[in-house]
Amino acid sequence: MDRTSIYDELSRVEREVVAAERQLAEQERLVLDLKRKGQQFTGAEKELERLRECQRQRDQDRQRLLSLPQP
């Protein structure tokens, strides 16, 4: 992978990480609101865990790209 490709991919992953952080925060607020109101929240919690797992994958991708030798 050449330097430009690495930087392009890293930029893409970084944008995804930032967008996903916002989505995670929104989902966390939803779960808390549902719990506070005494409403069913298990589906929202499952979605939150799915989002967290996706974010872990993005973080791994980012770390992989950062660890590549720079040409």
Side-chain angles (χ1 to χ4, degrees):
M1 205 175 227
D2 66 22
R3 179 179 286 182
T4 302
S5 297
I6 292 171
Y7 288 142
D8 288 347
E9 183 71 7
L10 185 57
S11 292
R12 182 189 62 77
V13 170
E14 289 288 348
R15 285 190 304 274
E16 288 178 1
V17 165
V18 170
E21 286 295 330
R22 281 190 223 112
Q23 190 176 12
L24 275 167
E26 289 173 15
Q27 191 68 22
E28 288 170 346
R29 278 191 298 275
L30 174 63
V31 169
L32 289 174
D33 286 345
L34 291 171
K35 284 181 178 182
R36 211 175 298 124
K37 294 175 183 176
Q39 296 178 351
Q40 178 62 29
F41 59 88
T42 54
E45 266 189 332
K46 287 180 183 179
E47 177 64 8
L48 178 58
E49 187 51 43
R50 186 190 70 76
L51 292 171
R52 286 177 176 155
E53 180 56 35
C54 290
Q55 190 69 334
R56 282 189 285 273
Q57 290 295 321
R58 284 184 202 92
D59 285 335
Q60 288 175 357
D61 287 346
R62 179 173 45 188
Q63 289 306 314
R64 177 186 57 80
L65 290 165
L66 289 170
S67 69
L68 288 175
Q70 300 301 310

PDB file of all heavy atoms in Angstrom, residues 1-7 9 64-65 68-71:
ATOM      1  N   MET A   1       0.852  -1.170   0.000  1.00  0.00           N
ATOM      2  CA  MET A   1       0.000   0.000   0.000  1.00  0.00           C
ATOM      3  C   MET A   1       0.901   1.238   0.000  1.00  0.00           C
ATOM      4  O   MET A   1       1.799   1.348   0.822  1.00  0.00           O
ATOM      5  CB  MET A   1      -0.871  -0.047   1.255  1.00  0.00           C
ATOM      6  CG  MET A   1      -2.162   0.685   1.154  1.00  0.00           C
ATOM      7  SD  MET A   1      -3.177   0.448   2.648  1.00  0.00           S
ATOM      8  CE  MET A   1      -4.712   0.078   1.887  1.00  0.00           C
ATOM      9  N   ASP A   2       0.672   2.143  -0.912  1.00  0.00           N
ATOM     10  CA  ASP A   2       1.491   3.346  -0.948  1.00  0.00           C
ATOM     11  C   ASP A   2       0.995   4.367   0.074  1.00  0.00           C
ATOM     12  O   ASP A   2      -0.088   4.256   0.627  1.00  0.00           O
ATOM     13  CB  ASP A   2       1.559   3.943  -2.351  1.00  0.00           C
ATOM     14  CG  ASP A   2       0.219   4.463  -2.855  1.00  0.00           C
ATOM     15  OD1 ASP A   2      -0.661   4.748  -2.034  1.00  0.00           O
ATOM     16  OD2 ASP A   2       0.066   4.591  -4.077  1.00  0.00           O
ATOM     17  N   ARG A   3       1.812   5.373   0.308  1.00  0.00           N
ATOM     18  CA  ARG A   3       1.526   6.370   1.340  1.00  0.00           C
ATOM     19  C   ARG A   3       0.181   7.064   1.116  1.00  0.00           C
ATOM     20  O   ARG A   3      -0.603   7.248   2.049  1.00  0.00           O
ATOM     21  CB  ARG A   3       2.636   7.401   1.369  1.00  0.00           C
ATOM     22  CG  ARG A   3       2.394   8.496   2.397  1.00  0.00           C
ATOM     23  CD  ARG A   3       3.501   9.466   2.420  1.00  0.00           C
ATOM     24  NE  ARG A   3       4.612   8.794   3.093  1.00  0.00           N
ATOM     25  CZ  ARG A   3       5.774   9.355   3.337  1.00  0.00           C
ATOM     26  NH1 ARG A   3       6.010  10.577   2.959  1.00  0.00           N
ATOM     27  NH2 ARG A   3       6.718   8.700   3.961  1.00  0.00           N
ATOM     28  N   THR A   4      -0.114   7.443  -0.128  1.00  0.00           N
ATOM     29  CA  THR A   4      -1.376   8.122  -0.425  1.00  0.00           C
ATOM     30  C   THR A   4      -2.567   7.232  -0.104  1.00  0.00           C
ATOM     31  O   THR A   4      -3.548   7.686   0.493  1.00  0.00           O
ATOM     32  CB  THR A   4      -1.412   8.555  -1.907  1.00  0.00           C
ATOM     33  OG1 THR A   4      -0.305   9.416  -2.165  1.00  0.00           O
ATOM     34  CG2 THR A   4      -2.701   9.270  -2.228  1.00  0.00           C
ATOM     35  N   SER A   5      -2.474   5.970  -0.472  1.00  0.00           N
ATOM     36  CA  SER A   5      -3.563   5.035  -0.187  1.00  0.00           C
ATOM     37  C   SER A   5      -3.774   4.867   1.314  1.00  0.00           C
ATOM     38  O   SER A   5      -4.906   4.809   1.788  1.00  0.00           O
ATOM     39  CB  SER A   5      -3.282   3.665  -0.815  1.00  0.00           C
ATOM     40  OG  SER A   5      -3.230   3.773  -2.213  1.00  0.00           O
ATOM     41  N   ILE A   6      -2.669   4.785   2.048  1.00  0.00           N
ATOM     42  CA  ILE A   6      -2.753   4.646   3.505  1.00  0.00           C
ATOM     43  C   ILE A   6      -3.438   5.864   4.107  1.00  0.00           C
ATOM     44  O   ILE A   6      -4.355   5.744   4.916  1.00  0.00           O
ATOM     45  CB  ILE A   6      -1.351   4.444   4.125  1.00  0.00           C
ATOM     46  CG1 ILE A   6      -0.786   3.087   3.712  1.00  0.00           C
ATOM     47  CG2 ILE A   6      -1.418   4.577   5.656  1.00  0.00           C
ATOM     48  CD1 ILE A   6       0.672   2.889   4.087  1.00  0.00           C
ATOM     49  N   TYR A   7      -3.022   7.063   3.694  1.00  0.00           N
ATOM     50  CA  TYR A   7      -3.609   8.286   4.233  1.00  0.00           C
ATOM     51  C   TYR A   7      -5.077   8.431   3.839  1.00  0.00           C
ATOM     52  O   TYR A   7      -5.891   8.885   4.643  1.00  0.00           O
ATOM     53  CB  TYR A   7      -2.815   9.518   3.802  1.00  0.00           C
ATOM     54  CG  TYR A   7      -1.480   9.640   4.492  1.00  0.00           C
ATOM     55  CD1 TYR A   7      -0.373  10.101   3.801  1.00  0.00           C
ATOM     56  CD2 TYR A   7      -1.321   9.297   5.826  1.00  0.00           C
ATOM     57  CE1 TYR A   7       0.861  10.217   4.430  1.00  0.00           C
ATOM     58  CE2 TYR A   7      -0.104   9.400   6.455  1.00  0.00           C
ATOM     59  CZ  TYR A   7       0.980   9.863   5.759  1.00  0.00           C
ATOM     60  OH  TYR A   7       2.192   9.977   6.382  1.00  0.00           O
ATOM     61  N   GLU A   9      -7.187   5.956   3.211  1.00  0.00           N
ATOM     62  CA  GLU A   9      -7.931   4.979   4.006  1.00  0.00           C
ATOM     63  C   GLU A   9      -8.025   5.430   5.456  1.00  0.00           C
ATOM     64  O   GLU A   9      -9.083   5.323   6.093  1.00  0.00           O
ATOM     65  CB  GLU A   9      -7.254   3.610   3.904  1.00  0.00           C
ATOM     66  CG  GLU A   9      -7.966   2.502   4.615  1.00  0.00           C
ATOM     67  CD  GLU A   9      -9.270   2.082   3.960  1.00  0.00           C
ATOM     68  OE1 GLU A   9      -9.598   2.560   2.860  1.00  0.00           O
ATOM     69  OE2 GLU A   9      -9.979   1.270   4.573  1.00  0.00           O
ATOM     70  N   ARG A  64      -4.373  -0.526  12.819  1.00  0.00           N
ATOM     71  CA  ARG A  64      -3.658  -1.273  11.784  1.00  0.00           C
ATOM     72  C   ARG A  64      -3.034  -0.308  10.775  1.00  0.00           C
ATOM     73  O   ARG A  64      -1.869  -0.443  10.415  1.00  0.00           O
ATOM     74  CB  ARG A  64      -4.613  -2.243  11.084  1.00  0.00           C
ATOM     75  CG  ARG A  64      -3.989  -3.026   9.943  1.00  0.00           C
ATOM     76  CD  ARG A  64      -5.025  -3.858   9.207  1.00  0.00           C
ATOM     77  NE  ARG A  64      -6.138  -3.088   8.678  1.00  0.00           N
ATOM     78  CZ  ARG A  64      -6.108  -2.383   7.548  1.00  0.00           C
ATOM     79  NH1 ARG A  64      -5.005  -2.320   6.839  1.00  0.00           N
ATOM     80  NH2 ARG A  64      -7.171  -1.726   7.130  1.00  0.00           N
ATOM     81  N   LEU A  65      -3.820   0.667  10.342  1.00  0.00           N
ATOM     82  CA  LEU A  65      -3.308   1.639   9.369  1.00  0.00           C
ATOM     83  C   LEU A  65      -2.170   2.483   9.951  1.00  0.00           C
ATOM     84  O   LEU A  65      -1.183   2.775   9.273  1.00  0.00           O
ATOM     85  CB  LEU A  65      -4.436   2.535   8.876  1.00  0.00           C
ATOM     86  CG  LEU A  65      -5.457   1.845   7.981  1.00  0.00           C
ATOM     87  CD1 LEU A  65      -6.711   2.703   7.845  1.00  0.00           C
ATOM     88  CD2 LEU A  65      -4.855   1.514   6.624  1.00  0.00           C
ATOM     89  N   LEU A  68       1.187   0.587   9.938  1.00  0.00           N
ATOM     90  CA  LEU A  68       1.836   0.208   8.686  1.00  0.00           C
ATOM     91  C   LEU A  68       3.116   1.005   8.497  1.00  0.00           C
ATOM     92  O   LEU A  68       3.162   2.200   8.824  1.00  0.00           O
ATOM     93  CB  LEU A  68       0.897   0.485   7.501  1.00  0.00           C
ATOM     94  CG  LEU A  68      -0.304  -0.432   7.357  1.00  0.00           C
ATOM     95  CD1 LEU A  68      -1.197   0.057   6.208  1.00  0.00           C
ATOM     96  CD2 LEU A  68       0.113  -1.869   7.108  1.00  0.00           C
ATOM     97  N   PRO A  69       4.136   0.341   7.977  1.00  0.00           N
ATOM     98  CA  PRO A  69       5.380   1.073   7.709  1.00  0.00           C
ATOM     99  C   PRO A  69       5.125   2.173   6.674  1.00  0.00           C
ATOM    100  O   PRO A  69       4.380   1.970   5.717  1.00  0.00           O
ATOM    101  CB  PRO A  69       6.323   0.024   7.155  1.00  0.00           C
ATOM    102  CG  PRO A  69       5.591  -1.263   7.120  1.00  0.00           C
ATOM    103  CD  PRO A  69       4.188  -1.037   7.593  1.00  0.00           C
ATOM    104  N   GLN A  70       5.677   3.308   6.906  1.00  0.00           N
ATOM    105  CA  GLN A  70       5.505   4.433   5.976  1.00  0.00           C
ATOM    106  C   GLN A  70       6.555   4.304   4.870  1.00  0.00           C
ATOM    107  O   GLN A  70       7.734   4.273   5.150  1.00  0.00           O
ATOM    108  CB  GLN A  70       5.673   5.752   6.721  1.00  0.00           C
ATOM    109  CG  GLN A  70       4.676   5.951   7.846  1.00  0.00           C
ATOM    110  CD  GLN A  70       3.243   5.905   7.367  1.00  0.00           C
ATOM    111  OE1 GLN A  70       2.880   6.574   6.424  1.00  0.00           O
ATOM    112  NE2 GLN A  70       2.426   5.095   8.025  1.00  0.00           N
ATOM    113  N   PRO A  71       6.077   4.249   3.623  1.00  0.00           N
ATOM    114  CA  PRO A  71       7.034   4.107   2.498  1.00  0.00           C
ATOM    115  C   PRO A  71       7.880   5.355   2.317  1.00  0.00           C
ATOM    116  O   PRO A  71       7.580   6.420   2.713  1.00  0.00           O
ATOM    117  CB  PRO A  71       6.133   3.897   1.277  1.00  0.00           C
ATOM    118  CG  PRO A  71       4.730   4.078   1.719  1.00  0.00           C
ATOM    119  CD  PRO A  71       4.719   4.276   3.197  1.00  0.00           C
TER     120      PRO A  71
END
